[in-house]
Structures are given as structure tokens and as C-alpha cells.
Amino acid sequence: MAHLTESELETIVQRDLPQRRIVGRAELNGVATGAEASAPELDEMQRKFGVDGSTFSRVAARAETDAVYGTGEDFDDEIVIVELAIDKSNPWKSGSQRKAVVVSGSQRRVIGEQG
Amino acid sequence: MTQPEPKNIIEELIDETLDSEPVCRVHLLDVGADKYGDCILCEIGEMRILIDGSHPSDFRPRSGHRSIPQQLEAFLGAPPFELDLLVVTHAHADHIGCLPALVTGGTLKTKWALLADPALGWGRDPDSHRVGNPTDEAEVLAAALREENHDNERDEVLERFLLDAANLEDSYHAMIARLQEDRAQVVLFGRDDHRVVEEAFGAIGMRVLGPTPEHLRLCSQRIERAGRDDLGAISDFLGSRDELKGDWIAAYRALSGTDGGSIGAAINNQTIVLRFDYQGRKLLFTGDMQFASPDVSGLETEMTELRRRIKEDGPWTFVKVAHHGSYNAFNESVLEEMGATRYYGISTGEQSMAHPHPSTLAMLDAQRQNLKWARTDRNRAVTFDFSAQRAQIALERGEINDPHPNARDEFLPLVAPNRENRSSEIQGSASRTEVEPQSSSPPSTGGRDDIVEVITRVPRVATRVTVSIEVQPLDNPPPVAKISRVPDGGTLPSLDPKAPRVGGGRVLPPLLFVTNREALAHNIGVNEAALALQGVREGGHMLIDDAPSSVEASEVAPFVGRKLKENPSLRGVVILGGYDVVPAQRLDALPPHLRRILSRRSDPDNFVVWSDALYGDTDGDGFPELPVSRVPDGKSAALVWAALQARSPQQDEATSTECQGVRNKRRPFAEEVFSAMGGRNPMLSSGPATCEHPPLSLNASKIYLMLHGDHADGSRFWGEDVSGGIEAINLSNLPLQCEGTVFTGCCWGALTSEEPAAWAPHNAPVRVKTPETSLALGFLARGVQAFVGCTGAHYSPVVPPLDHYGGPLHRAFWIHYDAGFGPAESLLAAKIEFLKGMPHGQTAPSGRAIEHKILHQYTCLGLGW
């Protein structure tokens, strides 16, 4: 699956979130520790409640908006960390106010935000 | 995460002759809740200098305080943090702090490092050091007794302190090794020639004023001698006290009254005292140097000489008051020697009862017309900006020149200094009035049946204090005391000295309550825990009160599963206690297949979340069949009472449809969810709404909040405007009593531990939030039926169609709730509906990952029935 380039991501973020800039993809704080267990697979859970997972297809599930906005190419979404542009005159505004936003690879726009 | 706005900015002219505007800022970082601590970031010209690293535990946010990395990021940008100079003034844990973690983790890099020599600091040969952390009880206690006194801390704080002290020497050496590997210019003060550092930073006027080699030698001799003698004495002491073997906390408390003070003083007096002189701004950093009272035999002459050098080099633009404002570092003579210095900073943690010392504050207060001071225990992070002709002091909280001591108990007032004569000494005699010490909280009864512990603090003056303690035996328990105050000055309901009536006396379906009686008693009190469990039994519910005391939920869940299988009539599970009583599961929200193909991830939780769902999973397939809710105790018996006795607003037709809602301005999808809830009031949008305007008291049958949250600060939720975060609600927006159900889409809104699941260390007790640090627990303590929210970061749709990520689950919850299901059942039903619709049009792996996270991270706090 393809991924948007850094340049493409910056262009999209500048357009959709003009006052924010990408600061990276690293986890916000430190190294994550491991989990005790993993969630079950989606199709197993859906079968439990009578949803036939085999009917799920990537084409059928593609939203109408994907057909409108999409490039037709197969791109992953990207979760990127953005922050407000730094205002050096006020030390309380510099740096953080960060959050994750989701950039749709196929629609090439911001479709979701942390929070 | 939203950066806190400074609450108080003071600006004044300092020198109109200065015609240039160099950069000269001193940032006293918030050193957290623990006592003591220094961490100072200086921006001088183009140079960035960090002096000390607060406490080891400040590597992560705790108790509503930002972590040191978070604060450094605010000033230095994203990690790795690049410094020109790192200074460690002396070998105490509240100064070395989290620097080893930052350096060895690659988060902090520096060109130069001027460090306290560990050989001098630990009294060892220069070419050797202790290999590995001590595990022998005597060695651990000896390491702890080197540090500042912590004997009046709570057990869990003391336990953390003991571990930090035991690890300190090894981690400090590891930090030095990593700095050398990274090709930093490392200078060990006292062993290497520090003048190379002065030359490197000559442009900003750096000089080390002390201590001299002789001064260091006297201190290191004391440390070396104490290291030998104290270890033997501790071993002998432990040998004579069998009951203390293995109980490090009790042993430390017993030992800390002995002469541990002199080794601590010797380490303090090794502090590197340095100054900067840059374009007319002179800054003095004093670490923990005990200028007023060295407490090390033979050091008086050296100290006098050091003070003379400081006096000759003054006056100063800014002075960091030594040793957290202790009486042994600051007296009238020291203040006089500072000359016309106007700006002072005091660095110490929020829980520092004796620092800054009342006498220090009184001296500063007597000169408040001429001085400005700030203190991190009251003001949190402080910035002194001397970059222009006008000095600017920015405080995160509180007021400038706060003269109030931190001691909660009343103490005999000191005689005020003669305001007309600055050279007068503080008088040692004090009023002979007898005062009854008053405690703001009742004595703890938690955990040990044979001991009542009362802590009394008395000022170091000639006085007599009489303390009377009345104790009642356990077979005649006293009434349970009132709990602490709420921020708005009112008090939460008093605790009823009878067993709680689960559900307020309503008939509830048969439920299984799960807890660990001893752990719950440790948190809320022995009597209180017993009464709470009595209430559960009297309500006709099944109870497991001996769930294994494990940190892994997978070890506890089988006990619950067996009970559920044996009793198929049970309709749900209620966990009684926080994660430190009955653990939550650290769940990877991604199934293995998705985890493998997800090539990149920037989710703040790495898609790992806390989950209680396994306690309702009767068939072991990873998805619950029964609703699960949790009453986190928050170390508050009153919260447990209020939560267990919560009524259901659904039963009152007159009020059951009342709704309140507040959303982030950038979350329009929440309007549709709220309008379907059927209330009369419009949903507030923040911005422009703030926590103060319009005035808002959250008290309705149904409350829906769709705002930003922060795992480090659960006491507030934020909206947004063009400039960033706006505080939308906080604890002051909660009334004294509140019935109803709260549903939130706020990041970490239902996080009841200090650390999110991805960051909490394994095999270590979980640290939990309290009603004073968490909106979720605050609501529960006021009687809501449930608080439903996320244990991780939430994601919202922001462009049409708004039917993915959190939106569908929010809608489904309220639909089922309005259909008459209780909160716990409504959440499970909403999850099932959400699951059936997954992935809601999200075909890309990252999008599907977010959908999985939404499904698994939602949890129901409170009784939920």
C-alpha cells in the first residue's frame, strides 16, 4: 500500500489546517510498553453478532466521498502530529498544543482529529 | 496537549540605561508534586543551559503536573533537546532527577556537561563505583538516607523515593557514559579542570564561584566516613528490629530521625555555585549550598569565603535561592550580602511542607517593596525574562511574592524581623501561646490495625508544643470524617457512617462485585472498606472480595469468569476499586493482523489502552458478553459511597430528558448527537465558551462532553479557537451534588491512572488519580450514575460524512440509554452496534486501526446501573 510523501502531507495540512504544522510521527512521549493481550480479529467479532465478514469488501465499503475525492490509487491514511506555529514572543505558546490528525491517503484531505 | 497559559505576568522597568535587547531568560520548571527539586533552563544569548533535572519521577506527568520533557519541549521544540551546557550541581536525586532517563534515552543532547563528580558525591575512589543497584536492605536504606528527608510522605510516595534513591548512583554513571559516547565535552567538577567550561562560555560571563578543592575535600571526607559508618549502623539496627526486616518503608521511617542529616548536608555543600554575566544581566545559581548553616564540621571558613566571593561579585539581577529556601541556606546575613538584588526564584515541589522555610518567606516579605520573588511550589513553572529594559515574570499559577508557608498545621509564629533595620536577625524566641495543631485531613487508619499515625510539624525555635491524641479501639469505630474540600470552597457531602445502599436502595439486577479487600482498605480505610462491602452484601449482590493482588488483569479474570459461569443469572460485573486494587488489562486494541500491516503509527497510545472488558468475557473470545463497570476509589471513601449510592435519573420522568452538552468548536458532528438526545438547552461550543463564561454548572440527567482531554491533567477539558486550546470546563464547573450520566469523547477522559496503558511500567503498582485531579472521579464523587469515556486518545470525524471514528458510538450510546438501558448496558450495546458497522467506510489500515481503538477503549466508570 502506498503512502503519501512528506511534501504531500505538508501541503494537505497547510491547506486544511493553515495554522498548524507537522512536527513528526514519533509517539508523543517516550517508548510505549507492551500490551498483555491483543484484541480479536474484526471478522471473528462480527460473526459473533451475525455480521458476515465475507461481504465486506474494500470496494463495497469505500464511501461515496472516496469516489469523489479519491485518486483511485491505494493509499494508507496517515496519522501525523501537528502543532500550532511557534510564537516566540510568548514562551507559553511555543512548542506544544499538539494533537494527532488523520490525513486520508485516498481523499488527500484531513478527515479526522485527535480529541 | 494544550500548553497552559500563564496566569500572571508582571512587568517592570529594570534598567533604562540598557539599550540592547539580548536574550536572557531563566525558566524555573515545575518540579512536580514531590518535595524539593530543581530544574532550571536558561536562555542566555544564543546559549541554552539546563541546570539540574528535578526528580526521577518527573520524567512522566504526575498529579496534574507536566513532566520535565513536556516542559522542555515547550521551550526547546521537539526532542531530541539540544543544549549547549548541562549542569548537575550535586549528587542528590532531586537534582540529578530525570536527566539519566533523558540522556540515555537519547532525548537530551548537549555539547558540554559540567557535572558533580560521582566519586566525590558518593565518597568512592575515582576509578570505581558501585556496580548494579543495591538490593540489600541496609544498602537501599543507606542510599535513601543520603537524600533529603522524606519520612512524612505517604507510603506510595516513599516507596517510589526509596527505589529512586537505590537506582541513582548507577543511573548517574550510565548518564555520564552516554554523554561521553555522544561526544559531549564532559567535565567532572572537582576532578577535571572546570576552567575549560568557563572559557567555552566566556561570552556569557560564566564563572564557577565555588566550592574550592578544600571545600569539596571536607565534604567528601564526611560522605566517605558516613558511607562506612552508616551502613554498619543500619545493619546493626535492622538486626535488632526483626519486625522491620523486609519492611523498607517502616525501617526508613524509624531510621530517618537519626543523624542522616549531616551526610545530606555534606552533599548539599558540594553544590556547584555558578554565575552568568551577560550584557548587564547577572544571574546567580546556588543549588543547595547551605550558606547560612553548613552543618559540616570544619567547613565554616570555606563557606565564609564563598559568601564573600558572591557578595563581591554582586549585586545580581536574579538569584536562585539556595536549598529550596531552607533556613540553613538563607538568613538575614545572606540576604544582606545579596545587596541590591531584586529578583529571586525559589524552586521546590508542591508537597514541600518545610520549604521554603517560613523564616525565608518572612524575610523576603519584609522587603517586598524592594523585591520580587516567585516559587514553583505555588506558582509552578515560572519565567523570568530579562531580555529587554523591562523585566517580565510569567507565572503558571498563583501570585507573585506569595509569602505563605506550606505547612498545613498551625505553628507558633516567628517574631517578625525589624523592618527598619535589615541587619536584624530573626529572633529565636517565639510566643509562648499554646496552639493545638490542626490537621486538614483526619488521621489515616488505612492498612494497619495496630497503629494510628499523626504527624506534627514544629518550627525550629525555642518553644513548647503540647500534643494530645485520643485513640479509640477498633471495636468502637469513630464516625468517618469529612473528606477534603472542593476547589470552589464548598465541601462535598459528609460521609454517612453507615454502610452504603447500593443504587440508592433501588432494586437492581443481580450483579457480581469484584474487589481486593485489603487493597481497597489501604486506599480508603479499613472501616470504610468493610462498610462498603457490607453494603454490597446487604444489596443482595454477589461479591468476590479476595481477588488476587496482581498487577496483571489476566491473572484476576479467571476468578471472575468462574463465578460468572457458576451463576448464569448474573447480569453484569462491577469492579470496586482503582487499577491498584483490581487491575485493568493493558490491551492492544489492534488485532494481530492489523498490527502487522500497520507500517506507521503516530497514535499517542500506540493503540494500547486500558480495558476492563475481559471481566465480562465469559467465553474467552476477547469480546465481553456482560457489561462491566468500575467504581475507582480515587483513594476517597466518600467517592466510593457516592458512586455506590448513585440514583438513576431515568426513573424520574420530570428530569430524565434534561441534557447539557459542551463541544469543541471543531466537532460539529457532536451537534447531531446532542440534538437527538432531546433536550431543550442548546449545546455549548468552546470557543467561544470558556470554563468561566457563560457560567456553567454541569448538573443534568444526561451530560455530553466532546472536548480535548489530556492524560497529564484530567481536571480540565478544552475547546479550541484560532490560537489553540481554551479551557472549557474544570472541576469548578461541577456542583456539589450531581445525578445523571456523563458521556464523553474527550481524550483520556476516563483515564483513572496517572499513566496511560502504553507508558505505565510493567510489574509496578499503578498510580491512580483522585477526585481532585480528575473530572471523571470528580463527577463520581458527586453522585453521577456513570461517567463513560476513553482510556486513550479519541478520534473525531471532521469532514462529512461524519459517520466514522467516535461519532457512531456516541449516537448508539444515547439511543440505547434513552431506550431505558442503564449506562453499563448502553455502552455494551453501543459497542456491539459500532462493531457491526466497522470499519464505517475506513478502508485504509490506519483508519481501521482508529476504529478498533474507539471500540476497545471506551469504559464505564461508576456503578453504571
Side-chain angles (χ1 to χ4, degrees), chain B residues 378-668:
Chain B
R378 296 288 181 103
N379 303 135
R380 297 213 175 177
V382 178
T383 292
F384 290 84
D385 192 338
F386 304 113
S387 300
Q389 291 180 348
R390 304 187 75 80
Q392 189 183 74
I393 310 170
L395 315 175
E396 185 176 338
R397 289 190 181 186
E399 303 294 328
I400 201 79
N401 288 11
D402 184 341
H404 299 103
N406 288 325
R408 286 191 289 262
D409 293 342
E410 287 191 8
F411 60 94
L412 294 176
L414 298 174
V415 174
N418 183 346
R419 291 171 186 258
E420 295 175 355
N421 182 358
R422 284 188 60 191
S423 64
S424 66
E425 295 287 338
I426 294 289
Q427 297 302 307
S429 62
S431 158
R432 293 281 177 187
T433 306
E434 286 191 357
V435 177
E436 286 188 7
Q438 295 176 353
S439 175
S440 63
S441 60
S444 168
T445 63
R448 294 187 57 172
D449 293 350
D450 58 342
I451 286 182
V452 171
E453 182 178 283
V454 177
I455 296 169
T456 303
R457 286 173 287 277
V458 181
R460 194 183 293 265
V461 295
T463 185
R464 174 184 299 162
V465 174
T466 302
V467 178
S468 299
I469 303 170
E470 289 190 19
V471 178
Q472 295 189 22
L474 282 176
D475 58 357
N476 188 19
V480 180
K482 286 190 177 184
I483 61 169
S484 57
R485 290 176 174 275
V486 299
D488 65 359
T491 49
L492 290 171
S494 297
L495 197 49
D496 194 320
K498 300 191 293 287
R501 297 170 67 221
V502 176
R506 291 177 289 139
V507 175
L508 298 178
L511 302 171
L512 173 63
F513 283 72
V514 181
T515 192
N516 178 294
R517 183 180 57 249
E518 283 187 8
L520 185 66
H522 183 266
N523 285 352
I524 69 172
V526 171
N527 296 339
E528 292 83 345
L531 283 173
L533 300 185
Q534 178 185 332
V536 169
R537 292 191 186 94
E538 289 175 352
H541 301 288
M542 196 159 289
L543 174 64
I544 297 175
D545 65 356
D546 57 351
S549 57
S550 168
V551 295
E552 297 276 337
S554 55
E555 296 180 15
V556 179
F559 290 84
V560 179
R562 267 199 296 280
K563 197 66 90 172
L564 292 175
K565 281 207 173 93
E566 293 164 3
N567 297 276
S569 63
L570 290 168
R571 289 270 304 280
V573 177
V574 180
I575 301 169
L576 187 53
Y579 294 175
D580 55 339
V581 175
V582 177
Q585 186 180 47
R586 209 186 305 251
L587 178 70
D588 185 348
L590 306 185
H593 169 71
L594 188 55
R595 173 65 70 178
R596 276 194 299 274
I597 68 172
L598 196 66
S599 59
R600 299 180 187 185
R601 50 190 181 272
S602 289
D603 177 63
D605 301 296
N606 192 19
F607 297 105
V608 177
V609 297
W610 293 114
S611 173
D612 287 330
L614 82 167
Y615 294 112
D617 180 9
T618 56
D619 58 8
D621 64 354
F623 195 86
E625 287 67 43
L626 292 179
V628 180
S629 55
R630 177 187 288 265
V631 176
D633 59 88
K635 301 196 186 292
S636 165
L639 182 158
V640 172
W641 254 246
L644 287 178
Q645 297 189 130
R647 294 198 285 258
S648 169
Q650 292 166 303
Q651 297 193 322
D652 184 345
E653 283 196 22
T655 59
S656 62
T657 58
E658 287 180 5
C659 306
Q660 283 177 307
V662 187
R663 68 171 176 94
N664 178 353
K665 180 180 177 180
R666 291 177 55 82
R667 301 292 179 263

Side-chain angles (χ1 to χ4, degrees), chain B residues 145-147 222 230 256-268 290 294-296:
Chain B
L145 290 170
R146 285 170 39 91
E147 303 287 336
R222 176 69 187 93
D230 289 357
S256 58
T258 61
D259 185 25
S262 61
I263 186 174
I267 299 169
N268 283 341
Q290 297 185 196
D295 294 335
V296 173

Side-chain angles (χ1 to χ4, degrees), chain B residues 76-302:
Chain B
L76 302 176
F81 308 124
E82 304 275 355
L83 299 174
D84 296 285
L85 173 64
L86 173 66
V87 180
V88 172
T89 58
H90 62 292
H92 266 156
D94 64 314
H95 291 259
I96 294 173
C98 55
L99 292 177
L102 286 167
V103 170
T104 59
T107 311
L108 187 145
K109 296 184 187 299
T110 185
K111 295 177 188 154
W112 287 85
L114 177 63
L115 309 175
D117 182 357
L120 296 174
W122 271 273
R124 306 204 195 276
D125 288 332
D127 296 322
S128 72
H129 78 274
R130 181 178 220 302
V131 176
N133 298 322
T135 53
D136 174 74
E137 187 174 357
E139 289 180 325
V140 170
L141 291 168
L145 290 170
R146 285 170 39 91
E147 303 287 336
E148 307 274 12
N149 195 342
H150 282 70
D151 66 352
N152 59 353
E153 298 279 15
R154 301 189 316 270
D155 281 1
E156 56 269 27
V157 175
L158 191 47
E159 184 179 4
R160 185 174 67 240
F161 159 70
L162 290 171
L163 286 171
D164 289 342
N167 295 335
L168 187 70
E169 186 179 2
D170 221 45
S171 63
Y172 189 55
H173 277 278
M175 181 191 86
I176 295 173
R178 178 60 188 262
L179 286 170
Q180 289 165 334
E181 281 170 26
D182 289 346
R183 300 190 186 282
Q185 302 274 349
V186 176
V187 174
L188 299 180
F189 184 74
R191 191 192 309 192
D192 304 327
D193 188 348
H194 65 270
R195 287 174 297 182
V196 296
V197 188
E198 291 178 339
E199 285 168 20
F201 293 88
I204 57 173
M206 178 190 159
R207 269 190 58 207
V208 176
L209 298 180
T212 62
E214 175 61 13
H215 184 144
L216 283 174
R217 186 189 68 79
L218 289 167
C219 294
S220 67
Q221 269 185 347
R222 176 69 187 93
I223 295 166
E224 187 185 359
R225 192 167 60 243
R228 285 195 311 268
D229 297 347
D230 289 357
L231 195 56
I234 292 169
S235 296
D236 292 343
F237 177 79
L238 292 174
S240 68
R241 300 282 298 270
D242 276 344
E243 75 279 13
L244 295 177
K245 285 212 180 107
D247 189 342
W248 293 5
I249 292 175
Y252 175 82
R253 292 195 202 281
L255 282 163
S256 58
T258 61
D259 185 25
S262 61
I263 186 174
I267 299 169
N268 283 341
N269 290 321
Q270 291 181 325
T271 289
I272 302 170
V273 177
L274 68 158
R275 64 85 149 148
F276 300 91
D277 185 352
Y278 182 62
Q279 302 209 14
R281 285 88 170 155
K282 299 184 80 169
L283 314 175
L284 178 67
F285 299 98
T286 57
D288 280 1
M289 188 62 76
Q290 297 185 196
F291 294 115
S293 180
D295 294 335
V296 173
S297 176
L299 199 59
E300 293 76 15
T301 303
E302 290 290 332

Side-chain angles (χ1 to χ4, degrees), chain A residues 25-75:
Chain A
R25 302 167 192 259
E27 277 110 14
L28 287 175
N29 282 290
V31 177
T33 58
E36 299 166 40
S38 293
E41 297 287 347
L42 177 61
D43 56 355
E44 291 171 15
M45 291 193 288
Q46 288 182 327
R47 269 198 295 276
K48 177 177 177 143
F49 295 103
V51 175
D52 183 355
S54 66
T55 63
F56 167 72
S57 72
R58 295 173 67 249
V59 173
R62 198 184 295 264
E64 285 183 15
T65 48
D66 211 34
V68 172
Y69 292 96
T71 62
E73 296 178 67
D74 199 4
F75 279 84

Side-chain angles (χ1 to χ4, degrees), chain B residues 798-865:
Chain B
V798 294
V799 293
L802 303 170
D803 60 357
H804 54 282
Y805 300 160
L809 193 141
H810 296 198
R811 275 186 220 97
F813 174 84
W814 288 117
I815 287 172
H816 286 90
Y817 186 81
D818 285 339
F821 293 96
E825 286 182 304
S826 296
L827 178 60
L828 180 59
K831 285 190 173 191
I832 293 171
E833 192 169 320
F834 185 85
L835 166 65
K836 290 178 181 177
M838 280 174 67
H840 298 103
Q842 303 307 301
T843 58
S846 294
R848 285 153 54 198
I850 292 171
E851 291 268 312
H852 278 270
K853 189 184 185 194
I854 295 289
L855 175 67
H856 292 292
Q857 70 171 342
Y858 261 92
T859 194
C860 179
L861 301 177
L863 178 63
W865 290 87

Side-chain angles (χ1 to χ4, degrees), chain A residues 17 19 25 33-34 36-37 39 41 46 48 76-77 79 84 92-94 97-99 111-115, chain B residues 1 3 5-6 73-74 586 588 593 602 621 625 666-667 722-725 758 762 794 796 835 838 845-846:
Chain A
L17 300 171
Q19 296 194 307
R25 302 167 192 259
T33 58
E36 299 166 40
E41 297 287 347
Q46 288 182 327
K48 177 177 177 143
D76 193 4
D77 294 346
I79 304 173
L84 281 178
W92 298 98
K93 289 286 190 179
S94 65
Q97 299 207 46
R98 295 180 170 190
K99 62 180 178 183
I111 62 168
E113 291 182 2
Q114 175 191 336
Chain B
M1 187 192 76
Q3 186 75 10
E5 289 285 343
E73 187 179 321
R586 209 186 305 251
D588 185 348
H593 169 71
S602 289
D621 64 354
E625 287 67 43
R666 291 177 55 82
R667 301 292 179 263
V722 292
S723 64
H762 285 270
H794 178 270
S796 297
L835 166 65
M838 280 174 67
S846 294

